[in-house]
Amino acid sequence: MSAVPGDVAALAPLLEEWLPALGRGVTIVPFGGGQSNPTFLARGSGGEAVLRVQPAGKRLKGAHAVDREFRVMQALHGSRVPVPEMLLSGGEDAWLDRRFIVMQRVEGVVFWDPALPDKTPAERGRVYDAMVMVLADLHDVDIAAVGLSDYGRPGNYFARQFATWQRQYRASETGENRDMERLIAWLDRHLPKDDGTVSLVHGDYRIDNLIFDPETLAIRAVLDWELSTLGHPYADLAYQCMQWRLPNDGVFKGLGGIDRGALGIPDEATYLAAYCRRRGLARIEGWTFHLAFSFFRLAAILQGIYRRYLDGNAANADTALRYGQTVPVLTALAMEEVERRG
């Protein structure tokens, strides 16, 4: 288990003062993954809370936005999209030179392997039904009603995101990746026109960012909203399905090469149909672009984590190194998808 940085550990007596419900003798220990924003458990005599902190050192502009996580979860609390209660936001002050947030600890289970090896086919089906239901509910959130009308910029979401992640990738680039260059060129040629569709998007919606009820398998909380914004809902949907193409071993834990039907996990067509029914949609247009874009975006994110590893600022050096080694895998898979679909 990695050590708690000294400046983060020094927050313990302050959290004891600011959050009386934690009780006395508050301690801070590492908790969860948190590659982008290190995550800790604050534990006192009265209870526990989860602390997320921006990483130390140089940070890419716009990355590690824990303040945005705080805002969106605070806005969604009490909606059909389950999130923890937000307790505190601070940092960049006399106590800590980087931002942090504190939230309720939600009890439940996190499934790290989407193949759900310990579940029955019926239970796996319930898990994936819950996932698609909450994703559809998220995309149906009334943005104005929850106070998030200004949470993203207007205009073509994919054009903005394509420019942003190109910039982030170039800022963290460490060598030539020919498939990435081919992918960037293909995406540039196939950018869709703005169809006016806008919803709240999570940006990293996957099974291990969800907390499930261990008995009912309903979702108790959706976590890790750092990449959330106002955008196109198909970005979230394609990101979910893109992960099912990733290998089930090594860093990824995807569903590539697994007989999903035998396991009781819906295939892509069934999952998309369930999403469309929930939202009253006829079909999903431009699916190849959405999938290719998801691969590109994830590759750019993981390249940034690898760059922090090389700079000595990674939250977990071993994991960050392995993430960096997967970037060529992602871009190769993207180009295979593009070429297979023509």
Side-chain angles (χ1 to χ4, degrees):
M1 180 176 291
S2 58
V4 178
D7 55 351
V8 174
L11 288 175
L14 297 169
L15 295 182
E16 189 172 308
E17 175 185 347
W18 295 333
L19 299 172
L22 287 178
R24 310 300 296 174
V26 171
T27 59
I28 296 175
V29 297
F31 182 67
Q35 259 305 316
S36 181
N37 294 308
T39 305
F40 306 91
L41 182 66
R43 178 187 292 127
S45 61
E48 298 175 332
V50 175
L51 167 69
R52 275 172 69 79
V53 183
Q54 288 181 322
K58 183 179 179 181
R59 295 181 289 274
L60 294 175
K61 182 180 179 182
H64 316 291
V66 294
D67 51 332
R68 287 177 66 81
E69 286 193 274
F70 187 93
R71 181 184 174 190
V72 70
M73 285 190 278
Q74 188 175 54
L76 289 174
H77 189 62
S79 74
R80 288 192 305 183
V81 181
V83 292
E85 180 183 359
M86 296 295 100
L87 304 176
L88 182 67
S89 177
E92 294 184 327
D93 50 30
W95 298 285
L96 193 65
D97 66 354
R98 44 201 165 120
R99 295 204 62 83
F100 68 88
I101 61 174
V102 184
M103 68 190 79
Q104 165 200 18
R105 181 183 183 184
V106 176
E107 297 290 347
V109 295
V110 175
F111 298 122
W112 297 99
D113 185 341
L116 301 170
D118 297 330
K119 298 298 177 187
T120 66
E123 288 170 332
R124 294 185 189 108
R126 284 158 56 194
V127 167
Y128 279 85
D129 283 347
M131 289 172 65
V132 74
M133 180 180 71
V134 169
L135 184 62
D137 286 346
L138 167 63
H139 295 157
D140 279 338
V141 165
D142 186 327
I143 298 165
V146 298
L148 293 174
S149 296
D150 62 343
Y151 195 63
R153 290 162 47 196
N156 189 317
Y157 169 78
F158 287 109
R160 294 197 321 271
Q161 286 282 298
F162 183 53
T164 295
W165 290 109
Q166 271 197 86
R167 184 171 62 250
Q168 299 282 47
Y169 177 75
R170 297 302 183 198
S172 56
E173 196 172 7
T174 54
E176 183 182 19
N177 180 335
R178 292 185 179 180
D179 281 329
M180 176 60 99
E181 301 305 326
R182 294 171 63 213
L183 179 58
I184 288 173
W186 187 91
L187 290 169
D188 189 40
R189 293 194 304 271
H190 292 84
L191 274 173
K193 294 181 180 179
D194 185 11
D195 64 3
T197 301
V198 178
S199 72
L200 180 61
V201 295
H202 180 275
D204 197 13
Y205 191 83
R206 62 177 195 255
I207 197 167
D208 54 303
N209 277 334
L210 308 172
I211 297 177
F212 290 83
D213 185 294
E215 301 299 327
T216 68
L217 298 177
I219 295 174
R220 286 184 172 177
V222 182
L223 306 177
D224 201 354
W225 292 82
E226 176 196 347
L227 298 173
S228 61
T229 188
L230 299 187
H232 204 291
Y234 296 171
D236 271 346
L237 187 61
Y239 183 78
Q240 173 86 87
C241 294
M242 176 269 297
Q243 291 175 328
W244 294 353
R245 290 161 166 77
L246 301 180
N248 187 252
D249 53 7
V251 171
F252 286 124
K253 285 295 181 187
L255 290 171
I258 289 177
D259 186 345
R260 283 182 277 176
L263 292 177
I265 297 172
D267 61 20
E268 183 174 285
T270 302
Y271 195 82
L272 294 181
Y275 176 88
C276 288
R277 283 196 305 272
R278 183 79 176 182
R279 300 200 64 219
L281 303 174
R283 66 184 66 84
I284 305 295
E285 302 288 352
W287 191 237
T288 301
F289 173 86
H290 300 313
L291 286 172
F293 178 81
S294 293
F295 278 109
F296 159 73
R297 181 173 165 274
L298 181 58
I301 291 169
L302 298 187
Q303 183 67 34
I305 293 173
Y306 180 56
R307 178 78 262 179
R308 288 201 302 279
Y309 159 77
L310 295 177
D311 292 341
N313 296 322
N316 183 309
D318 290 341
T319 301
L321 173 60
R322 287 186 290 136
Y323 278 166
Q325 294 168 342
T326 65
V327 172
V329 176
L330 290 172
T331 52
L333 284 171
M335 290 312 301
E336 287 176 14
E337 191 73 30
V338 165
E339 291 166 354
R340 182 176 67 83
R341 292 171 175 261

